[in-house]
PDB file of all heavy atoms in Angstrom:
ATOM      1  N   TYR A 185     -30.258 -46.612  66.206  1.00 94.00           N
ATOM      2  CA  TYR A 185     -29.811 -47.389  67.201  1.00 94.00           C
ATOM      3  C   TYR A 185     -28.211 -47.119  67.356  1.00 94.00           C
ATOM      4  O   TYR A 185     -27.630 -47.113  68.407  1.00 94.00           O
ATOM      5  CB  TYR A 185     -30.136 -48.873  67.150  1.00 94.00           C
ATOM      6  CG  TYR A 185     -31.522 -49.214  67.420  1.00 94.00           C
ATOM      7  CD1 TYR A 185     -32.346 -49.446  66.389  1.00 94.00           C
ATOM      8  CD2 TYR A 185     -32.061 -49.375  68.685  1.00 94.00           C
ATOM      9  CE1 TYR A 185     -33.703 -49.739  66.586  1.00 94.00           C
ATOM     10  CE2 TYR A 185     -33.323 -49.692  68.973  1.00 94.00           C
ATOM     11  CZ  TYR A 185     -34.127 -49.858  67.955  1.00 94.00           C
ATOM     12  OH  TYR A 185     -35.452 -50.245  68.137  1.00 94.00           O
ATOM     13  N   MET A 186     -27.538 -47.252  66.113  1.00 94.00           N
ATOM     14  CA  MET A 186     -26.198 -47.104  66.110  1.00 94.00           C
ATOM     15  C   MET A 186     -25.653 -45.748  66.544  1.00 94.00           C
ATOM     16  O   MET A 186     -24.715 -45.632  67.281  1.00 94.00           O
ATOM     17  CB  MET A 186     -25.720 -47.476  64.691  1.00 94.00           C
ATOM     18  CG  MET A 186     -26.127 -48.800  64.173  1.00 94.00           C
ATOM     19  SD  MET A 186     -25.817 -48.978  62.472  1.00 94.00           S
ATOM     20  CE  MET A 186     -27.068 -50.209  62.020  1.00 94.00           C
ATOM     21  N   ILE A 187     -26.388 -44.711  66.064  1.00 95.00           N
ATOM     22  CA  ILE A 187     -26.057 -43.328  66.388  1.00 95.00           C
ATOM     23  C   ILE A 187     -26.232 -43.133  67.854  1.00 95.00           C
ATOM     24  O   ILE A 187     -25.398 -42.421  68.589  1.00 95.00           O
ATOM     25  CB  ILE A 187     -26.887 -42.264  65.614  1.00 95.00           C
ATOM     26  CG1 ILE A 187     -26.591 -42.487  64.090  1.00 95.00           C
ATOM     27  CG2 ILE A 187     -26.580 -40.890  66.051  1.00 95.00           C
ATOM     28  CD1 ILE A 187     -25.156 -42.319  63.746  1.00 95.00           C
ATOM     29  N   LEU A 188     -27.242 -43.848  68.523  1.00 94.00           N
ATOM     30  CA  LEU A 188     -27.432 -43.716  69.950  1.00 94.00           C
ATOM     31  C   LEU A 188     -26.225 -44.215  70.703  1.00 94.00           C
ATOM     32  O   LEU A 188     -25.771 -43.607  71.662  1.00 94.00           O
ATOM     33  CB  LEU A 188     -28.706 -44.604  70.385  1.00 94.00           C
ATOM     34  CG  LEU A 188     -28.896 -44.781  71.847  1.00 94.00           C
ATOM     35  CD1 LEU A 188     -29.055 -43.419  72.543  1.00 94.00           C
ATOM     36  CD2 LEU A 188     -30.090 -45.705  72.081  1.00 94.00           C
ATOM     37  N   GLY A 189     -25.724 -45.440  70.287  1.00 93.00           N
ATOM     38  CA  GLY A 189     -24.560 -45.960  70.943  1.00 93.00           C
ATOM     39  C   GLY A 189     -23.354 -45.019  70.939  1.00 93.00           C
ATOM     40  O   GLY A 189     -22.622 -44.869  71.864  1.00 93.00           O
ATOM     41  N   VAL A 190     -23.138 -44.400  69.704  1.00 93.00           N
ATOM     42  CA  VAL A 190     -22.052 -43.491  69.584  1.00 93.00           C
ATOM     43  C   VAL A 190     -22.245 -42.219  70.442  1.00 93.00           C
ATOM     44  O   VAL A 190     -21.332 -41.731  71.136  1.00 93.00           O
ATOM     45  CB  VAL A 190     -21.805 -43.116  68.087  1.00 93.00           C
ATOM     46  CG1 VAL A 190     -20.672 -42.089  67.968  1.00 93.00           C
ATOM     47  CG2 VAL A 190     -21.590 -44.335  67.238  1.00 93.00           C
ATOM     48  N   ALA A 191     -23.587 -41.697  70.411  1.00 93.00           N
ATOM     49  CA  ALA A 191     -23.882 -40.427  71.156  1.00 93.00           C
ATOM     50  C   ALA A 191     -23.619 -40.508  72.682  1.00 93.00           C
ATOM     51  O   ALA A 191     -23.419 -39.503  73.295  1.00 93.00           O
ATOM     52  CB  ALA A 191     -25.227 -39.989  70.736  1.00 93.00           C
ATOM     53  N   LEU A 192     -23.696 -41.759  73.215  1.00 92.00           N
ATOM     54  CA  LEU A 192     -23.482 -41.910  74.609  1.00 92.00           C
ATOM     55  C   LEU A 192     -22.105 -41.503  75.063  1.00 92.00           C
ATOM     56  O   LEU A 192     -21.926 -41.025  76.234  1.00 92.00           O
ATOM     57  CB  LEU A 192     -23.800 -43.359  75.059  1.00 92.00           C
ATOM     58  CG  LEU A 192     -25.293 -43.834  74.814  1.00 92.00           C
ATOM     59  CD1 LEU A 192     -25.339 -45.287  75.244  1.00 92.00           C
ATOM     60  CD2 LEU A 192     -26.200 -43.001  75.771  1.00 92.00           C
ATOM     61  N   GLY A 193     -21.172 -41.628  74.239  1.00 88.00           N
ATOM     62  CA  GLY A 193     -19.796 -41.249  74.574  1.00 88.00           C
ATOM     63  C   GLY A 193     -19.114 -42.010  75.680  1.00 88.00           C
ATOM     64  O   GLY A 193     -18.241 -41.636  76.316  1.00 88.00           O
ATOM     65  N   THR A 194     -19.531 -43.309  75.735  1.00 91.00           N
ATOM     66  CA  THR A 194     -18.983 -44.279  76.721  1.00 91.00           C
ATOM     67  C   THR A 194     -18.490 -45.483  76.045  1.00 91.00           C
ATOM     68  O   THR A 194     -18.893 -45.759  74.998  1.00 91.00           O
ATOM     69  CB  THR A 194     -19.987 -44.654  77.749  1.00 91.00           C
ATOM     70  OG1 THR A 194     -21.038 -45.424  77.108  1.00 91.00           O
ATOM     71  CG2 THR A 194     -20.663 -43.472  78.450  1.00 91.00           C
ATOM     72  N   VAL A 195     -17.592 -46.258  76.756  1.00 92.00           N
ATOM     73  CA  VAL A 195     -17.079 -47.484  76.053  1.00 92.00           C
ATOM     74  C   VAL A 195     -18.273 -48.493  75.961  1.00 92.00           C
ATOM     75  O   VAL A 195     -18.258 -49.159  74.909  1.00 92.00           O
ATOM     76  CB  VAL A 195     -15.982 -48.017  77.099  1.00 92.00           C
ATOM     77  CG1 VAL A 195     -15.633 -49.431  76.690  1.00 92.00           C
ATOM     78  CG2 VAL A 195     -14.837 -47.130  77.130  1.00 92.00           C
ATOM     79  N   GLU A 196     -19.115 -48.561  76.909  1.00 93.00           N
ATOM     80  CA  GLU A 196     -20.247 -49.452  76.800  1.00 93.00           C
ATOM     81  C   GLU A 196     -21.140 -49.141  75.539  1.00 93.00           C
ATOM     82  O   GLU A 196     -21.589 -50.091  74.868  1.00 93.00           O
ATOM     83  CB  GLU A 196     -21.080 -49.479  78.039  1.00 93.00           C
ATOM     84  CG  GLU A 196     -20.455 -49.999  79.325  1.00 93.00           C
ATOM     85  CD  GLU A 196     -19.361 -48.963  79.982  1.00 93.00           C
ATOM     86  OE1 GLU A 196     -19.371 -47.822  79.473  1.00 93.00           O
ATOM     87  OE2 GLU A 196     -18.553 -49.340  80.768  1.00 93.00           O
ATOM     88  N   GLY A 197     -21.390 -47.864  75.443  1.00 93.00           N
ATOM     89  CA  GLY A 197     -22.263 -47.463  74.323  1.00 93.00           C
ATOM     90  C   GLY A 197     -21.567 -47.710  72.967  1.00 93.00           C
ATOM     91  O   GLY A 197     -22.161 -48.211  72.003  1.00 93.00           O
ATOM     92  N   THR A 198     -20.320 -47.422  72.846  1.00 93.00           N
ATOM     93  CA  THR A 198     -19.498 -47.707  71.572  1.00 93.00           C
ATOM     94  C   THR A 198     -19.490 -49.136  71.319  1.00 93.00           C
ATOM     95  O   THR A 198     -19.634 -49.540  70.147  1.00 93.00           O
ATOM     96  CB  THR A 198     -18.120 -47.039  71.644  1.00 93.00           C
ATOM     97  OG1 THR A 198     -18.194 -45.692  71.985  1.00 93.00           O
ATOM     98  CG2 THR A 198     -17.397 -47.264  70.368  1.00 93.00           C
ATOM     99  N   ALA A 199     -19.200 -49.997  72.333  1.00 94.00           N
ATOM    100  CA  ALA A 199     -19.161 -51.422  72.213  1.00 94.00           C
ATOM    101  C   ALA A 199     -20.489 -51.923  71.608  1.00 94.00           C
ATOM    102  O   ALA A 199     -20.490 -52.723  70.645  1.00 94.00           O
ATOM    103  CB  ALA A 199     -18.685 -52.108  73.472  1.00 94.00           C
ATOM    104  N   ALA A 200     -21.617 -51.558  72.278  1.00 95.00           N
ATOM    105  CA  ALA A 200     -22.908 -52.027  71.841  1.00 95.00           C
ATOM    106  C   ALA A 200     -23.164 -51.540  70.363  1.00 95.00           C
ATOM    107  O   ALA A 200     -23.750 -52.245  69.526  1.00 95.00           O
ATOM    108  CB  ALA A 200     -23.940 -51.438  72.762  1.00 95.00           C
ATOM    109  N   ALA A 201     -22.714 -50.323  70.027  1.00 95.00           N
ATOM    110  CA  ALA A 201     -22.991 -49.830  68.618  1.00 95.00           C
ATOM    111  C   ALA A 201     -22.100 -50.714  67.612  1.00 95.00           C
ATOM    112  O   ALA A 201     -22.643 -51.026  66.569  1.00 95.00           O
ATOM    113  CB  ALA A 201     -22.536 -48.344  68.499  1.00 95.00           C
ATOM    114  N   ILE A 202     -20.896 -51.060  67.953  1.00 95.00           N
ATOM    115  CA  ILE A 202     -20.045 -51.863  67.187  1.00 95.00           C
ATOM    116  C   ILE A 202     -20.688 -53.174  66.888  1.00 95.00           C
ATOM    117  O   ILE A 202     -20.807 -53.719  65.767  1.00 95.00           O
ATOM    118  CB  ILE A 202     -18.638 -51.982  67.619  1.00 95.00           C
ATOM    119  CG1 ILE A 202     -17.934 -50.661  67.603  1.00 95.00           C
ATOM    120  CG2 ILE A 202     -17.874 -52.997  66.976  1.00 95.00           C
ATOM    121  CD1 ILE A 202     -16.690 -50.595  68.381  1.00 95.00           C
ATOM    122  N   TYR A 203     -21.174 -53.898  67.987  1.00 96.00           N
ATOM    123  CA  TYR A 203     -21.895 -55.208  67.877  1.00 96.00           C
ATOM    124  C   TYR A 203     -23.139 -54.957  67.046  1.00 96.00           C
ATOM    125  O   TYR A 203     -23.442 -55.856  66.107  1.00 96.00           O
ATOM    126  CB  TYR A 203     -22.227 -55.731  69.195  1.00 96.00           C
ATOM    127  CG  TYR A 203     -23.023 -57.084  69.181  1.00 96.00           C
ATOM    128  CD1 TYR A 203     -22.212 -58.259  69.024  1.00 96.00           C
ATOM    129  CD2 TYR A 203     -24.287 -57.102  69.151  1.00 96.00           C
ATOM    130  CE1 TYR A 203     -22.853 -59.459  68.961  1.00 96.00           C
ATOM    131  CE2 TYR A 203     -24.959 -58.380  69.078  1.00 96.00           C
ATOM    132  CZ  TYR A 203     -24.195 -59.502  69.034  1.00 96.00           C
ATOM    133  OH  TYR A 203     -24.898 -60.683  68.911  1.00 96.00           O
ATOM    134  N   TYR A 204     -23.844 -53.934  67.275  1.00 95.00           N
ATOM    135  CA  TYR A 204     -25.144 -53.713  66.448  1.00 95.00           C
ATOM    136  C   TYR A 204     -24.826 -53.471  64.942  1.00 95.00           C
ATOM    137  O   TYR A 204     -25.561 -53.879  64.163  1.00 95.00           O
ATOM    138  CB  TYR A 204     -25.947 -52.582  67.060  1.00 95.00           C
ATOM    139  CG  TYR A 204     -27.420 -52.696  66.730  1.00 95.00           C
ATOM    140  CD1 TYR A 204     -28.259 -53.622  67.461  1.00 95.00           C
ATOM    141  CD2 TYR A 204     -28.008 -52.013  65.572  1.00 95.00           C
ATOM    142  CE1 TYR A 204     -29.518 -53.768  67.064  1.00 95.00           C
ATOM    143  CE2 TYR A 204     -29.255 -52.080  65.289  1.00 95.00           C
ATOM    144  CZ  TYR A 204     -30.097 -53.022  66.115  1.00 95.00           C
ATOM    145  OH  TYR A 204     -31.379 -53.237  65.750  1.00 95.00           O
ATOM    146  N   ILE A 205     -23.755 -52.780  64.685  1.00 95.00           N
ATOM    147  CA  ILE A 205     -23.369 -52.586  63.360  1.00 95.00           C
ATOM    148  C   ILE A 205     -23.108 -53.892  62.604  1.00 95.00           C
ATOM    149  O   ILE A 205     -23.604 -54.212  61.489  1.00 95.00           O
ATOM    150  CB  ILE A 205     -22.193 -51.635  63.106  1.00 95.00           C
ATOM    151  CG1 ILE A 205     -22.536 -50.298  63.509  1.00 95.00           C
ATOM    152  CG2 ILE A 205     -21.612 -51.628  61.792  1.00 95.00           C
ATOM    153  CD1 ILE A 205     -21.319 -49.366  63.771  1.00 95.00           C
ATOM    154  N   ALA A 206     -22.359 -54.717  63.261  1.00 95.00           N
ATOM    155  CA  ALA A 206     -22.043 -55.998  62.687  1.00 95.00           C
ATOM    156  C   ALA A 206     -23.341 -56.860  62.508  1.00 95.00           C
ATOM    157  O   ALA A 206     -23.531 -57.530  61.346  1.00 95.00           O
ATOM    158  CB  ALA A 206     -21.046 -56.800  63.553  1.00 95.00           C
ATOM    159  N   HIS A 207     -24.186 -56.925  63.477  1.00 95.00           N
ATOM    160  CA  HIS A 207     -25.474 -57.551  63.331  1.00 95.00           C
ATOM    161  C   HIS A 207     -26.302 -57.083  62.237  1.00 95.00           C
ATOM    162  O   HIS A 207     -26.745 -57.789  61.416  1.00 95.00           O
ATOM    163  CB  HIS A 207     -26.221 -57.418  64.729  1.00 95.00           C
ATOM    164  CG  HIS A 207     -27.628 -57.316  64.526  1.00 95.00           C
ATOM    165  ND1 HIS A 207     -28.534 -58.412  64.303  1.00 95.00           N
ATOM    166  CD2 HIS A 207     -28.520 -56.266  64.464  1.00 95.00           C
ATOM    167  CE1 HIS A 207     -29.695 -58.020  64.218  1.00 95.00           C
ATOM    168  NE2 HIS A 207     -29.799 -56.678  64.392  1.00 95.00           N
ATOM    169  N   HIS A 208     -26.400 -55.666  62.060  1.00 95.00           N
ATOM    170  CA  HIS A 208     -27.257 -55.120  61.180  1.00 95.00           C
ATOM    171  C   HIS A 208     -26.786 -55.311  59.751  1.00 95.00           C
ATOM    172  O   HIS A 208     -27.597 -55.418  58.806  1.00 95.00           O
ATOM    173  CB  HIS A 208     -27.505 -53.605  61.444  1.00 95.00           C
ATOM    174  CG  HIS A 208     -28.672 -53.050  60.701  1.00 95.00           C
ATOM    175  ND1 HIS A 208     -28.555 -52.273  59.657  1.00 95.00           N
ATOM    176  CD2 HIS A 208     -30.061 -53.163  61.061  1.00 95.00           C
ATOM    177  CE1 HIS A 208     -29.773 -51.868  59.245  1.00 95.00           C
ATOM    178  NE2 HIS A 208     -30.658 -52.435  60.109  1.00 95.00           N
ATOM    179  N   ILE A 209     -25.496 -55.275  59.493  1.00 95.00           N
ATOM    180  CA  ILE A 209     -24.952 -55.456  58.177  1.00 95.00           C
ATOM    181  C   ILE A 209     -25.387 -56.822  57.679  1.00 95.00           C
ATOM    182  O   ILE A 209     -25.966 -56.923  56.516  1.00 95.00           O
ATOM    183  CB  ILE A 209     -23.450 -55.312  58.165  1.00 95.00           C
ATOM    184  CG1 ILE A 209     -22.956 -53.867  58.344  1.00 95.00           C
ATOM    185  CG2 ILE A 209     -22.777 -55.930  56.897  1.00 95.00           C
ATOM    186  CD1 ILE A 209     -21.414 -53.685  58.560  1.00 95.00           C
ATOM    187  N   VAL A 210     -25.287 -57.713  58.464  1.00 95.00           N
ATOM    188  CA  VAL A 210     -25.608 -59.138  58.093  1.00 95.00           C
ATOM    189  C   VAL A 210     -27.168 -59.344  57.888  1.00 95.00           C
ATOM    190  O   VAL A 210     -27.553 -59.825  56.884  1.00 95.00           O
ATOM    191  CB  VAL A 210     -25.031 -60.251  59.156  1.00 95.00           C
ATOM    192  CG1 VAL A 210     -25.509 -61.520  58.880  1.00 95.00           C
ATOM    193  CG2 VAL A 210     -23.481 -60.145  59.123  1.00 95.00           C
ATOM    194  N   VAL A 211     -27.883 -58.928  58.887  1.00 95.00           N
ATOM    195  CA  VAL A 211     -29.317 -59.177  58.878  1.00 95.00           C
ATOM    196  C   VAL A 211     -30.093 -58.411  57.805  1.00 95.00           C
ATOM    197  O   VAL A 211     -30.918 -58.857  57.130  1.00 95.00           O
ATOM    198  CB  VAL A 211     -29.917 -58.891  60.341  1.00 95.00           C
ATOM    199  CG1 VAL A 211     -31.379 -59.028  60.246  1.00 95.00           C
ATOM    200  CG2 VAL A 211     -29.345 -59.912  61.318  1.00 95.00           C
ATOM    201  N   GLN A 212     -29.592 -57.113  57.650  1.00 94.00           N
ATOM    202  CA  GLN A 212     -30.323 -56.325  56.608  1.00 94.00           C
ATOM    203  C   GLN A 212     -30.050 -56.872  55.224  1.00 94.00           C
ATOM    204  O   GLN A 212     -30.864 -56.861  54.316  1.00 94.00           O
ATOM    205  CB  GLN A 212     -29.859 -54.817  56.749  1.00 94.00           C
ATOM    206  CG  GLN A 212     -30.724 -53.923  56.021  1.00 94.00           C
ATOM    207  CD  GLN A 212     -32.089 -53.632  56.644  1.00 94.00           C
ATOM    208  OE1 GLN A 212     -32.158 -53.451  57.864  1.00 94.00           O
ATOM    209  NE2 GLN A 212     -33.159 -53.583  55.932  1.00 94.00           N
ATOM    210  N   THR A 213     -28.775 -57.177  54.949  1.00 94.00           N
ATOM    211  CA  THR A 213     -28.391 -57.786  53.703  1.00 94.00           C
ATOM    212  C   THR A 213     -29.187 -59.083  53.519  1.00 94.00           C
ATOM    213  O   THR A 213     -29.695 -59.292  52.422  1.00 94.00           O
ATOM    214  CB  THR A 213     -26.911 -58.133  53.720  1.00 94.00           C
ATOM    215  OG1 THR A 213     -26.164 -56.852  53.905  1.00 94.00           O
ATOM    216  CG2 THR A 213     -26.497 -58.669  52.303  1.00 94.00           C
ATOM    217  N   THR A 214     -29.337 -59.858  54.492  1.00 95.00           N
ATOM    218  CA  THR A 214     -30.106 -61.222  54.372  1.00 95.00           C
ATOM    219  C   THR A 214     -31.523 -60.963  54.008  1.00 95.00           C
ATOM    220  O   THR A 214     -32.131 -61.545  53.109  1.00 95.00           O
ATOM    221  CB  THR A 214     -30.081 -61.923  55.717  1.00 95.00           C
ATOM    222  OG1 THR A 214     -28.661 -62.119  56.068  1.00 95.00           O
ATOM    223  CG2 THR A 214     -30.688 -63.351  55.487  1.00 95.00           C
ATOM    224  N   LEU A 215     -32.110 -59.880  54.608  1.00 94.00           N
ATOM    225  CA  LEU A 215     -33.590 -59.652  54.258  1.00 94.00           C
ATOM    226  C   LEU A 215     -33.775 -59.114  52.847  1.00 94.00           C
ATOM    227  O   LEU A 215     -34.627 -59.479  52.216  1.00 94.00           O
ATOM    228  CB  LEU A 215     -34.089 -58.626  55.293  1.00 94.00           C
ATOM    229  CG  LEU A 215     -34.415 -59.088  56.652  1.00 94.00           C
ATOM    230  CD1 LEU A 215     -34.722 -57.975  57.680  1.00 94.00           C
ATOM    231  CD2 LEU A 215     -35.758 -60.013  56.547  1.00 94.00           C
ATOM    232  N   PHE A 216     -32.799 -58.291  52.397  1.00 93.00           N
ATOM    233  CA  PHE A 216     -32.952 -57.825  51.015  1.00 93.00           C
ATOM    234  C   PHE A 216     -32.719 -59.000  49.988  1.00 93.00           C
ATOM    235  O   PHE A 216     -33.315 -58.965  48.934  1.00 93.00           O
ATOM    236  CB  PHE A 216     -31.919 -56.662  50.734  1.00 93.00           C
ATOM    237  CG  PHE A 216     -32.547 -55.356  51.103  1.00 93.00           C
ATOM    238  CD1 PHE A 216     -32.340 -54.673  52.261  1.00 93.00           C
ATOM    239  CD2 PHE A 216     -33.416 -54.713  50.136  1.00 93.00           C
ATOM    240  CE1 PHE A 216     -32.866 -53.449  52.582  1.00 93.00           C
ATOM    241  CE2 PHE A 216     -33.925 -53.491  50.348  1.00 93.00           C
ATOM    242  CZ  PHE A 216     -33.705 -52.784  51.649  1.00 93.00           C
ATOM    243  N   LEU A 217     -31.820 -59.905  50.386  1.00 94.00           N
ATOM    244  CA  LEU A 217     -31.647 -61.051  49.431  1.00 94.00           C
ATOM    245  C   LEU A 217     -32.885 -61.840  49.421  1.00 94.00           C
ATOM    246  O   LEU A 217     -33.306 -62.409  48.408  1.00 94.00           O
ATOM    247  CB  LEU A 217     -30.474 -61.897  49.948  1.00 94.00           C
ATOM    248  CG  LEU A 217     -29.147 -61.343  49.770  1.00 94.00           C
ATOM    249  CD1 LEU A 217     -27.977 -62.239  50.294  1.00 94.00           C
ATOM    250  CD2 LEU A 217     -28.725 -61.012  48.286  1.00 94.00           C
ATOM    251  N   ALA A 218     -33.607 -62.094  50.640  1.00 93.00           N
ATOM    252  CA  ALA A 218     -34.758 -62.731  50.792  1.00 93.00           C
ATOM    253  C   ALA A 218     -35.835 -62.108  49.944  1.00 93.00           C
ATOM    254  O   ALA A 218     -36.709 -62.771  49.302  1.00 93.00           O
ATOM    255  CB  ALA A 218     -35.234 -62.931  52.245  1.00 93.00           C
ATOM    256  N   ALA A 219     -35.822 -60.739  49.966  1.00 92.00           N
ATOM    257  CA  ALA A 219     -36.796 -60.000  49.159  1.00 92.00           C
ATOM    258  C   ALA A 219     -36.536 -60.236  47.690  1.00 92.00           C
ATOM    259  O   ALA A 219     -37.508 -60.330  46.794  1.00 92.00           O
ATOM    260  CB  ALA A 219     -36.681 -58.527  49.427  1.00 92.00           C
ATOM    261  N   GLY A 220     -35.312 -60.402  47.279  1.00 90.00           N
ATOM    262  CA  GLY A 220     -34.931 -60.778  45.838  1.00 90.00           C
ATOM    263  C   GLY A 220     -35.541 -62.181  45.491  1.00 90.00           C
ATOM    264  O   GLY A 220     -36.057 -62.386  44.305  1.00 90.00           O
ATOM    265  N   LEU A 221     -35.466 -63.122  46.506  1.00 91.00           N
ATOM    266  CA  LEU A 221     -36.037 -64.427  46.250  1.00 91.00           C
ATOM    267  C   LEU A 221     -37.602 -64.324  46.083  1.00 91.00           C
ATOM    268  O   LEU A 221     -38.202 -64.995  45.206  1.00 91.00           O
ATOM    269  CB  LEU A 221     -35.727 -65.350  47.339  1.00 91.00           C
ATOM    270  CG  LEU A 221     -34.202 -65.756  47.521  1.00 91.00           C
ATOM    271  CD1 LEU A 221     -34.037 -66.693  48.629  1.00 91.00           C
ATOM    272  CD2 LEU A 221     -33.608 -66.319  46.171  1.00 91.00           C
ATOM    273  N   ILE A 222     -38.305 -63.493  46.932  1.00 91.00           N
ATOM    274  CA  ILE A 222     -39.692 -63.310  46.885  1.00 91.00           C
ATOM    275  C   ILE A 222     -40.054 -62.738  45.488  1.00 91.00           C
ATOM    276  O   ILE A 222     -41.031 -63.103  44.855  1.00 91.00           O
ATOM    277  CB  ILE A 222     -40.114 -62.392  48.000  1.00 91.00           C
ATOM    278  CG1 ILE A 222     -39.986 -63.036  49.410  1.00 91.00           C
ATOM    279  CG2 ILE A 222     -41.608 -61.949  47.786  1.00 91.00           C
ATOM    280  CD1 ILE A 222     -40.205 -62.171  50.515  1.00 91.00           C
ATOM    281  N   GLU A 223     -39.306 -61.750  45.144  1.00 88.00           N
ATOM    282  CA  GLU A 223     -39.631 -61.137  43.801  1.00 88.00           C
ATOM    283  C   GLU A 223     -39.497 -62.198  42.661  1.00 88.00           C
ATOM    284  O   GLU A 223     -40.209 -62.083  41.684  1.00 88.00           O
ATOM    285  CB  GLU A 223     -38.640 -59.949  43.494  1.00 88.00           C
ATOM    286  CG  GLU A 223     -39.011 -59.183  42.278  1.00 88.00           C
ATOM    287  CD  GLU A 223     -38.102 -57.925  42.176  1.00 88.00           C
ATOM    288  OE1 GLU A 223     -37.035 -57.886  42.737  1.00 88.00           O
ATOM    289  OE2 GLU A 223     -38.607 -56.915  41.523  1.00 88.00           O
ATOM    290  N   ARG A 224     -38.555 -63.062  42.814  1.00 86.00           N
ATOM    291  CA  ARG A 224     -38.228 -63.956  41.746  1.00 86.00           C
ATOM    292  C   ARG A 224     -39.433 -65.037  41.748  1.00 86.00           C
ATOM    293  O   ARG A 224     -39.993 -65.456  40.690  1.00 86.00           O
ATOM    294  CB  ARG A 224     -37.041 -64.724  41.908  1.00 86.00           C
ATOM    295  CG  ARG A 224     -36.670 -65.614  40.794  1.00 86.00           C
ATOM    296  CD  ARG A 224     -35.225 -66.163  40.826  1.00 86.00           C
ATOM    297  NE  ARG A 224     -34.996 -66.892  39.709  1.00 86.00           N
ATOM    298  CZ  ARG A 224     -34.496 -66.358  38.571  1.00 86.00           C
ATOM    299  NH1 ARG A 224     -34.201 -65.091  38.630  1.00 86.00           N
ATOM    300  NH2 ARG A 224     -34.130 -66.992  37.484  1.00 86.00           N
ATOM    301  N   GLU A 225     -39.888 -65.403  42.882  1.00 84.00           N
ATOM    302  CA  GLU A 225     -40.999 -66.429  42.993  1.00 84.00           C
ATOM    303  C   GLU A 225     -42.336 -65.809  42.617  1.00 84.00           C
ATOM    304  O   GLU A 225     -43.157 -66.528  42.015  1.00 84.00           O
ATOM    305  CB  GLU A 225     -41.128 -66.987  44.484  1.00 84.00           C
ATOM    306  CG  GLU A 225     -39.922 -67.776  44.855  1.00 84.00           C
ATOM    307  CD  GLU A 225     -39.932 -69.176  44.273  1.00 84.00           C
ATOM    308  OE1 GLU A 225     -41.077 -69.621  43.764  1.00 84.00           O
ATOM    309  OE2 GLU A 225     -38.918 -69.868  44.283  1.00 84.00           O
ATOM    310  N   ALA A 226     -42.631 -64.551  43.087  1.00 83.00           N
ATOM    311  CA  ALA A 226     -43.938 -64.031  42.916  1.00 83.00           C
ATOM    312  C   ALA A 226     -44.026 -63.042  41.768  1.00 83.00           C
ATOM    313  O   ALA A 226     -45.231 -62.657  41.349  1.00 83.00           O
ATOM    314  CB  ALA A 226     -44.409 -63.319  44.122  1.00 83.00           C
ATOM    315  N   GLY A 227     -42.914 -62.524  41.255  1.00 80.00           N
ATOM    316  CA  GLY A 227     -42.912 -61.571  40.215  1.00 80.00           C
ATOM    317  C   GLY A 227     -43.185 -60.132  40.661  1.00 80.00           C
ATOM    318  O   GLY A 227     -43.361 -59.209  39.824  1.00 80.00           O
TER     319      GLY A 227
END
C-alpha cells in the first residue's frame, strides 16, 4: 500500500502513503505486542 502511494507520483498519493506509514507503524507494533501477550498467556 505504501509503495502504491509513492508510485503514483502525485501529492495526494504521497500524502496518503505518509498517513498510512504512521498508521501502520503504530498498528503493526501493537499487534506484535498483543501476540507477545498471547504467547505469555498460552505458552
Side-chain angles (χ1 to χ4, degrees):
Y185 287 101
M186 304 168 206
I187 299 301
L188 169 59
V190 178
L192 294 174
T194 63
V195 172
E196 293 78 10
T198 304
I202 292 170
Y203 180 85
Y204 202 82
I205 290 170
H207 144 80
H208 196 261
I209 288 174
V210 173
V211 173
Q212 194 76 44
T213 302
T214 307
L215 282 169
F216 270 101
L217 292 180
L221 296 180
I222 292 170
E223 186 174 24
R224 188 172 189 87
E225 290 286 343

